[in-house]
Amino acid sequence: MSPHRIPRPTAIEVRGARVHNLRDVDVDVPLDSLVAIAGVSGSGKSSLALGVLYAEGSRRYVEALSTYTRRRMSQAPRAAVDSVTHVPAALALRQRPAVPGVRSTFGTSTELLNVLRLMFSRLASHLCPNGHRVAPTIDVAAEVPISCPVCGAAVHAPGAESLAFNSEGACPRCEGIGTVREVDDAALVPDPTKTLDEGAVAPWQMFGFNVQPDIAREFGVRTDVPFRDLTDAEREIVLDGPEEKKHITVTSKKGVHDLDFTFRNARLTVTEELRRADTEKRLARVSRFLVETVCPDCEGTRLSPAARAPRIGELGLADATALTLDGLLAWVPTVIGPLPSDMHPMARELVSQLTGMADRLVQLGLGYLSLDRAGSSLSTGERQRVQLARAVRNRTTGVLYVLDEPSIGLHPSNIDGLLALIGDLLADGNSVLLVDHDVQVLREADHLIEIGPGSGREGGEVTASGSIQEVIDSGDSRLAGFLDGSADVVVREPASPAEAFARGTITMTTSALHTVHPLTVRVPLGRLTAVTGVSGSGKTTMVLESLVPALRAATARGADGGPPEEGPAPWGGGPRGGPPPPPPPPPPPPPAPGGARGGPPPRPPPPPRPPPAPPPHDSPRPVLPGHVRTLDAAGIRRVHQIDATPIGVNIRSTVATYSGVLDDLRRAFARTSEAKEAGLGAGDFSYNTGSLRCPRCEGTGRVVLDVQFLPDVDIDCPECEGTRYSPAADAYPRGGVTLPRLMGLTVQEAIEEVGDIPAVRRRLQALIDLGLRYLTLGEDTPALSGGEAQRLKLSGHIDRGQADALFVFDEPSVGLHPLDVRTLLHVLDRLVGNGATVVVIEHDLDMIANADHVIDMGPGGGAAGGRIVATGAPQDLAEEPDSATGRFLRSHLDRSADTGS
């Protein structure tokens, strides 16, 4: 056989994988294919995909580099596996890309702005020094000197770098950030009923300038009358008076002193403290007196006047970046025609490059985003899709792409775009391995590997492997019923449409915000409500930027002299409370069986009003967000926003500490006879600060070995074997079990050992009920999955009366296996059973199908959305022809019904 015709390997061969909970896993992963790995939370999916395949693929590539180069790179340790053969160089697209800094925008992260800046450098008309506009010319790209045809002055066209707000093109005032921080006058005097002598000026009190009222008195300001009763001139001195020295008399414990002091007005006090703030703590103290506003010089564009000057047609660079991606794609082809013919080839090349990059993003459902959208405001799913589109654009060959939950944040209508991009990676000769739970994605895999059967110690094995049909037919798959549609969709008993609003209604009216139109929102009390819609339709704006802050404002005032606990109280007003707007129309009656189409037609928005003055301190009206016009809180007094962000920042936070179990255990162990004889208290049993913590690892359970030019090796502490406690702790058992041993047990195992302690049993049982029985007490909370972190945060709420509480979840099904979604639904049903009102922002069709009430936003994203398309029961939404969610929900329900029959 010719050496040039040697057959290529067809699969990656993994033998003896033992990363985390994997139990000597042997598996073949086909190359040049779409391979999916699935399994319940904690089963070991990510351990195989990222801990073995990606870790070995990337490590071996790095090891091929020189020692000199490797010493300057962070390196991954060798995976705990006997062998991995035929693994290509690997790239991983993580589930949670880092949140970018303040200088990042959608345009910079996608690199579309690079091309757009080049277009405005080469294809635009430019200004001469005397303000005359010079028509587009090929001489700019040819770097030929240009002169103004009107005045003859030399014209220096800016390069692309001169148009960058992170470089030469930055606005001088905001330095390219687009916002400035200014003193918030309302925060300077939070209680205008106080006098200056009583501490009315908050920053004077906070930063130790207690003599300032005495100096203000020398300016003629009355310091013994309420601030609200001062004249305008007196207030102006307090807030912005001159920085002058005054002679004052100060009385202290040591007597009376005549001193010269410089007056520092309230605003200057804050700005000077901001200048001196060199730590996060000091900055946080100052920040309460600051408000972030749009930069008045650049109007939020981030660009200098010179960078805003070039124009293509009627648009400047700032105008173009303010367009949505869909709008930009519609505008870009119109650029070429008006240009001189000798510029057309260059223009076509630039337009082609931009449209090619943008098309990928539109495929992934990001056409509603504008290029100037702050990167930090993008959701996790949006950032991940940007990352994926950038990877496809690189056009690599022979690479193993490991995608961790690529369907996060995707509406079902966007899944086809994701699959198309994965198809492009495969067409370029790459292999794609993805970890996912979305059955719409899993059904498209060429090969499926299911890890399980359970979580933690009960998982770590390959339970099924093969084509989708082979996995369904295997008899061992816990995913089979979801792949073929035979599993039940509705697993709780939702309220009937006629009874949905029987317990009361939270009602909110808003004016326009971002791309969301004025809304009238009605949320049923004591029910599970799903807020749905395509990406960018306004779900987050309605719930997290409107409903949650409005209710928090209402509950905060209610706890401070506001309305009485019994009975709802409607509130209204502008940004600072102000006079209420005209009363809203009466709410529509509860939806009747058969469906609702979004309620009555919306009222026309009221005319714009100037911001009202701050309310007096004793006003019972809460300070609602400026765009929330009215709110009927319906007796809600507590608002809990539960997200999937990691718990804790380091490995000192564990399941035992977060749940409160360790506090109860430490007290119980301190009461043993052995501990009392040794004079030990509960504090001694703390692995963070106690006398029994391991001295070598200082209670972390891990030590890092420095192997010079090889990567650092992170291992279990050899002295305590990862238990975090010194061997001396074994001398103080309770009921035959020691605290170090308990930390290594699962929640299920621990309740059998220490369930006789009522507080411990109650906390552990709550974790079991939340589906977390497989977690060990000593497990690091930062390492938990998003779904596990979310349920752990609920552990303190699950068994309490919640009739006055609202729980808000932002895509709680992210990262959850369909079986875990059912566990989550049972948890939410339990909250509702305890009287809680639960609102979930969701794309998962199983979650939506089990809701009592649905509010669907849309119909599209961005400017094409922002309205309530439909409300009612899930079955009503499925019949709504204008709802993108409804179409997929109908198909989902029909598939289950067809299989069941």
Side-chain angles (χ1 to χ4, degrees):
M1 179 181 292
S2 168
H4 300 293
R5 295 180 178 271
I6 296 175
R8 294 182 57 209
T10 59
I12 305 168
E13 298 174 0
V14 177
R15 299 293 181 265
R18 297 177 299 280
V19 173
H20 297 141
N21 67 327
L22 295 181
R23 295 190 275 179
D24 282 312
V25 165
D26 296 342
V27 66
D28 291 346
V29 181
L31 289 166
D32 305 316
S33 306
L34 172 57
V35 178
I37 301 180
V40 297
S41 295
S43 61
K45 307 178 299 298
S46 295
S47 297
L48 177 59
L50 295 169
V52 176
L53 293 164
Y54 166 69
E56 285 299 290
S58 60
R59 181 186 66 80
R60 294 180 190 189
Y61 171 76
V62 171
E63 283 191 351
L65 305 176
S66 69
T67 301
Y68 177 83
T69 302
R70 294 202 310 272
R71 290 179 66 178
R72 282 153 180 78
M73 300 174 65
S74 60
Q75 301 176 53
R78 186 181 298 273
V81 59
D82 291 341
S83 67
V84 181
T85 56
H86 313 312
V87 61
L91 292 174
L93 304 186
R94 301 281 181 174
Q95 184 185 102
R96 292 188 180 90
V99 177
V102 294
R103 294 191 171 276
S104 172
T105 66
F106 179 59
T108 59
S109 61
T110 58
E111 300 177 6
L112 287 169
L113 194 54
N114 294 348
V115 183
L116 198 60
R117 287 192 288 108
L118 194 56
M119 290 178 64
F120 274 88
S121 169
R122 298 294 187 256
L123 308 181
S125 61
H126 298 284
L127 287 180
C128 83
N130 297 317
H132 302 121
R133 182 132 326 249
V134 178
T137 171
I138 194 69
D139 291 344
V140 173
E143 299 183 347
V144 174
I146 309 168
S147 58
C148 174
V150 178
C151 64
V155 178
H156 301 284
E161 195 65 18
S162 299
L163 301 178
F165 57 74
N166 283 326
S167 185
E168 301 167 27
C171 167
R173 180 163 183 177
C174 67
E175 299 180 337
I177 296 176
T179 59
V180 292
R181 288 191 293 186
E182 297 179 340
V183 177
D184 181 7
D185 286 350
L188 299 179
V189 186
D191 184 356
T193 66
K194 286 186 177 181
T195 67
L196 296 187
D197 290 337
E198 292 170 339
V201 179
W204 286 351
Q205 301 299 308
M206 176 171 289
F207 302 120
F209 292 93
N210 298 326
V211 299
Q212 295 302 319
D214 298 317
I215 308 174
R217 199 179 301 119
E218 296 300 316
F219 282 96
V221 178
R222 293 169 295 163
T223 62
D224 58 350
V225 299
F227 184 84
R228 66 185 177 188
D229 295 334
L230 296 179
T231 65
D232 290 345
E234 288 174 314
R235 292 187 191 187
E236 182 61 23
I237 290 173
V238 173
L239 297 178
D240 205 24
E243 195 175 1
E244 294 179 5
K245 277 192 176 182
K246 293 289 182 180
H247 187 79
I248 62 172
T249 301
V250 178
T251 302
S252 70
K253 294 180 180 179
K254 297 183 179 180
V256 179
H257 310 276
D258 290 330
L259 300 170
D260 290 329
F261 270 104
T262 300
F263 182 60
R264 180 175 286 186
N265 66 58
R267 291 173 184 153
L268 182 61
T269 300
V270 173
T271 56
E272 283 298 303
E273 288 299 317
L274 177 62
R275 185 178 59 81
R276 295 166 52 193
D278 53 1
T279 65
E280 287 294 328
K281 185 176 181 180
R282 295 185 70 172
L283 182 60
R285 294 182 73 203
V286 182
S287 294
R288 70 186 64 187
F289 301 111
L290 300 172
V291 61
E292 192 173 81
T293 62
V294 174
C295 174
D297 287 6
C298 68
E299 298 179 330
T301 65
R302 304 171 180 249
L303 297 170
S304 66
R308 299 198 301 271
R311 306 195 76 77
I312 298 179
E314 298 298 319
L315 299 187
L317 179 57
D319 304 314
T321 57
L323 296 172
T324 65
L325 197 55
D326 288 332
L328 187 69
L329 283 173
W331 170 74
V332 164
T334 68
V335 167
I336 302 172
L339 295 172
S341 58
D342 59 348
M343 297 181 69
H344 285 189
M346 176 176 61
R348 279 194 293 268
E349 177 64 27
L350 290 172
V351 168
S352 174
Q353 185 175 356
L354 189 143
T355 54
M357 295 166 64
D359 282 341
R360 303 284 189 188
L361 296 161
V362 172
Q363 271 185 299
L364 290 173
L366 298 178
Y368 59 90
L369 294 176
S370 60
L371 266 62
D372 61 2
R373 170 83 173 263
S376 59
S377 72
L378 298 179
S379 68
T380 300
E382 288 166 340
R383 294 198 304 274
Q384 188 171 36
R385 280 175 273 168
V386 168
Q387 181 180 246
L388 180 60
R390 197 164 54 231
V392 175
R393 194 172 68 240
N394 291 335
R395 301 301 300 267
T396 58
T397 298
V399 172
L400 172 65
Y401 282 91
V402 181
L403 313 182
D404 189 12
E405 297 273 3
S407 67
I408 282 179
L410 283 183
H411 187 270
S413 61
N414 300 133
I415 295 295
D416 288 342
L418 168 65
L419 295 171
L421 259 70
I422 291 175
D424 290 341
L425 288 173
L426 295 171
D428 284 339
N430 301 293
S431 303
V432 178
L433 176 72
L434 61 84
V435 177
D436 216 303
H437 296 293
D438 192 309
V439 292
Q440 193 178 346
V441 174
L442 296 179
R443 289 182 187 126
E444 300 301 318
D446 301 309
H447 189 89
L448 177 61
I449 300 171
E450 188 171 348
I451 306 293
S455 305
R457 295 175 183 175
E458 299 172 6
E461 296 180 348
V462 176
T463 57
S465 181
S467 67
I468 300 301
Q469 194 58 50
E470 287 171 340
V471 169
I472 292 172
D473 296 338
S474 68
D476 297 318
S477 171
R478 303 187 69 188
L479 197 60
F482 303 99
L483 291 171
D484 64 12
S486 61
D488 292 334
V489 172
V490 179
V491 294
R492 64 181 291 266
E493 187 174 346
S496 68
E499 291 293 318
F501 288 84
R503 298 174 181 174
T505 308
I506 301 171
T507 304
M508 176 183 69
T509 62
T510 67
S511 53
L513 179 68
H514 305 320
T515 58
V516 177
H517 297 260
L519 300 174
T520 297
V521 182
R522 300 176 67 246
V523 177
L525 271 185
R527 304 297 187 194
L528 171 59
T529 297
V531 179
T532 63
V534 300
S535 298
S537 60
K539 304 182 299 296
T540 297
T541 298
M542 186 187 82
V543 177
L544 302 184
E545 296 183 43
S546 303
L547 182 63
V548 168
L551 282 170
R552 281 183 170 157
T555 56
R557 174 58 78 183
D560 185 20
E565 289 289 318
E566 57 273 293
W571 290 291
R576 302 202 182 279
R597 303 282 180 173
R603 298 170 66 243
R609 296 176 292 134
H617 180 68
D618 56 358
S619 167
R621 184 178 296 126
V623 182
L624 298 178
H627 64 285
V628 177
R629 302 190 59 78
T630 63
L631 173 71
D632 183 342
I636 293 295
R637 294 291 180 267
R638 293 177 291 132
V639 180
H640 304 285
Q641 187 175 336
I642 310 292
D643 58 28
T645 55
I647 297 172
V649 295
N650 57 50
I651 59 176
R652 291 192 179 277
S653 173
T654 62
V655 171
T657 58
Y658 186 84
S659 65
V661 166
L662 188 58
D663 291 338
D664 297 322
L665 288 175
R666 289 193 293 110
R667 285 190 286 268
F669 275 85
R671 288 193 294 267
T672 62
S673 57
E674 293 88 350
K676 288 180 179 179
E677 289 174 8
L680 299 179
D684 293 290
F685 287 90
S686 167
Y687 62 72
N688 284 320
T689 59
S691 63
L692 296 176
R693 74 171 182 173
C694 174
R696 175 157 186 186
C697 66
E698 298 183 331
T700 64
R702 308 285 290 174
V703 294
V704 178
L705 305 181
D706 181 4
V707 201
Q708 294 188 359
F709 61 85
L710 292 176
D712 290 344
V713 178
D714 188 9
I715 64 170
D716 283 344
C717 174
E719 188 160 329
C720 69
E721 298 180 343
T723 67
R724 303 171 182 257
Y725 287 95
S726 68
D730 292 334
Y732 308 101
R734 181 190 179 279
V737 62
T738 64
L739 190 53
R741 180 170 175 269
L742 273 175
M743 294 294 286
L745 298 183
T746 65
V747 170
Q748 183 67 60
E749 293 166 341
I751 200 171
E752 296 170 4
E753 297 284 352
V754 289
D756 60 306
I757 307 172
V760 171
R761 170 170 285 278
R762 185 176 65 253
R763 296 181 195 276
L764 293 179
Q765 189 60 51
L767 297 178
I768 292 171
D769 293 344
L770 288 166
L772 299 176
R773 60 189 178 88
Y774 59 89
L775 296 181
T776 61
L777 296 188
E779 195 152 349
D780 310 334
T781 58
L784 299 179
S785 70
E788 291 166 338
Q790 190 168 237
R791 282 179 278 164
L792 185 56
K793 291 174 186 178
L794 276 174
S795 59
H797 302 286
I798 196 67
D799 284 322
R800 296 167 50 187
Q802 304 288 357
D804 62 348
L806 170 72
F807 287 82
V808 177
F809 298 82
D810 187 5
E811 296 196 48
S813 66
V814 163
L816 297 187
H817 185 279
L819 286 172
D820 296 318
V821 170
R822 276 147 177 71
T823 299
L824 175 62
L825 281 167
H826 291 311
V827 170
L828 300 183
D829 192 52
R830 191 162 163 182
L831 282 174
V832 171
N834 288 335
T837 301
V838 179
V839 174
V840 296
I841 302 172
E842 261 302 346
H843 291 305
D844 184 272
L845 296 175
D846 283 346
M847 289 287 293
I848 298 168
N850 281 275
D852 298 309
H853 185 71
V854 182
I855 302 172
D856 189 48
M857 299 288 291
R867 294 181 173 87
I868 294 178
V869 176
T871 64
Q875 294 80 3
D876 302 332
L877 179 65
E879 300 302 321
E880 174 56 58
D882 295 331
S883 169
T885 306
R887 292 194 297 274
F888 285 92
L889 182 60
R890 180 168 61 252
S891 175
H892 187 60
L893 293 171
D894 289 348
R895 182 187 185 102
S896 177
D898 291 343
T899 308
S901 60

